[in-house]
Amino acid sequence: MSADDIEPGDAIHRGHPVIVDRYTKGARINHWITAASLVLLALSGLALFHPKLFFLTGLFGGGQTTRMIHPWIGVVLFFSFFGLFLRFWKANLWKREDGTWLARIRDVLTGHEERLPELGKYNAGQKFVFWSMSALILVLITSGVVIWDQYFYEFTTIEQKRVAVLVHAIAAVLAISVWIIHVYAAIWVRGTIRAMTRGSVTGGWAWRHHRKWLRELAAKLPNGRSKTTHAK
Ligand code: HEM
């Protein structure tokens, strides 16, 4: 069995219940820095986006500081997400079973995951969040640099800056939407949040949602024998 979905630190611990390590401390710190910077970026960006939301500048010490700080938080998000990208890209590669999972999303939403193919570490929804965030953050940093007049004013024309402002705003709205989907899904699939807080999930969670990943991990247990039947 190929084990390309296993990430460093993933491991099964026998017991009642079985516990499965899913994220290292480093990955979790990396994730929460990314999450915090996206929230701060959204708040400071929305403050600059529309006069009705200008009051949000109060959170950052006024209009001038908001304008100064927003692009720097963007730089933090870019590098922080790049860290996540390096950690997670491989397990997010598209697999044949992802197409089937997506085509039968109704079974997922009605609680019949057992009718679907076994999945690796991530499902198609998580992969969608991963790749769309990767693309959107790239668009945001590129268009952001074009309109970061304090340092890069002379490198582009006014017309290019106009296009960049529009592209930046559209990408931001899409990124906020993807973020809402991500958080909703993390809460909706019970037992998922602890993956990013404690770093582990129960064997039952892994068996139900990511059985192929669990089997790959079980195959690595000492004695070589699969113990996944204990994971319910
Ligand atoms: C602030 C609210 C957020 C919450 C509550 C949250 C929660 C979570 C949870 C629980 C997981 C683990 C899912 C699993 O292993 O099955 C996760 C994974 C992940 N999160 Fe978040 N997250 C938040 C924000 C973000 C943001 C802003 C980004 C990116 C810009 C992000 C990117 C990721 C990535 C890349 C993964 C790994 C899953 C994958 O690669 O498909 N998260 N998140």
Side-chain angles (χ1 to χ4, degrees):
M1 185 182 301
S2 92
D4 51 358
D5 267 358
I6 296 178
E7 289 169 344
D10 293 355
I12 297 179
H13 301 280
R14 291 187 177 100
H16 299 284
V18 169
I19 294 296
V20 190
D21 292 338
R22 193 163 163 86
Y23 295 107
T24 59
K25 192 174 265 180
R28 280 177 280 149
I29 292 171
N30 195 166
H31 174 269
W32 290 118
I33 291 174
T34 308
S37 48
L38 189 118
V39 172
L40 292 174
L41 264 181
L43 288 170
S44 55
L46 287 170
L48 302 171
F49 179 64
H50 195 276
K52 284 232 163 70
L53 298 169
F54 188 75
F55 71 93
L56 289 170
T57 57
L59 293 170
F60 302 90
Q64 286 304 313
T65 34
T66 305
R67 204 178 65 158
M68 183 274 288
I69 213 169
H70 176 80
W72 284 111
I73 307 173
V75 172
V76 173
L77 176 78
F78 176 73
F79 284 108
S80 172
F81 187 84
F82 189 61
L84 290 186
F85 186 88
L86 293 180
R87 287 172 197 278
F88 300 150
W89 71 270
K90 204 167 174 206
N92 278 289
L93 292 176
W94 197 257
K95 302 269 168 61
R96 200 143 46 98
E97 58 266 27
D98 293 321
T100 317
W101 189 90
L102 211 54
R104 287 163 46 190
I105 190 78
R106 189 185 285 253
D107 282 334
V108 179
L109 298 177
T110 53
H112 293 295
E113 269 176 278
E114 74 282 356
R115 293 181 191 159
L116 291 160
E118 297 186 1
L119 293 184
K121 185 157 183 177
Y122 300 119
N123 63 37
Q126 291 165 306
K127 290 179 184 182
F128 163 78
V129 168
F130 180 83
W131 291 109
S132 52
M133 272 299 189
S134 306
L136 289 168
I137 288 172
L138 204 57
V139 172
L140 282 168
I141 191 84
T142 313
S143 54
V145 165
V146 174
I147 53 178
W148 198 353
D149 287 346
Q150 189 169 0
Y151 301 112
F152 304 105
Y153 180 79
E154 67 264 39
F155 297 105
T156 51
T157 63
I158 300 287
E159 279 69 32
Q160 286 167 337
K161 288 182 209 301
R162 283 184 186 141
V163 174
V165 169
L166 184 64
V167 169
H168 197 72
I170 293 172
V173 169
L174 293 176
I176 292 170
S177 311
V178 172
W179 171 68
I180 292 170
I181 293 170
H182 175 59
V183 175
Y184 185 81
I187 296 168
W188 187 68
V189 182
R190 221 186 310 160
T192 304
I193 293 286
R194 62 169 283 172
M196 255 323 156
T197 49
R198 284 190 256 175
S200 63
V201 289
T202 62
W205 183 96
W207 175 262
R208 183 164 176 187
H209 304 297
H210 300 280
R211 198 170 301 176
K212 198 170 127 201
W213 173 65
L214 184 67
R215 286 192 198 282
E216 288 170 0
L217 284 172
K220 285 190 359 174
L221 281 173
N223 307 333
R225 213 155 52 84
S226 167
K227 299 280 183 190
T228 44
T229 45
H230 290 280
K232 285 234 183 183

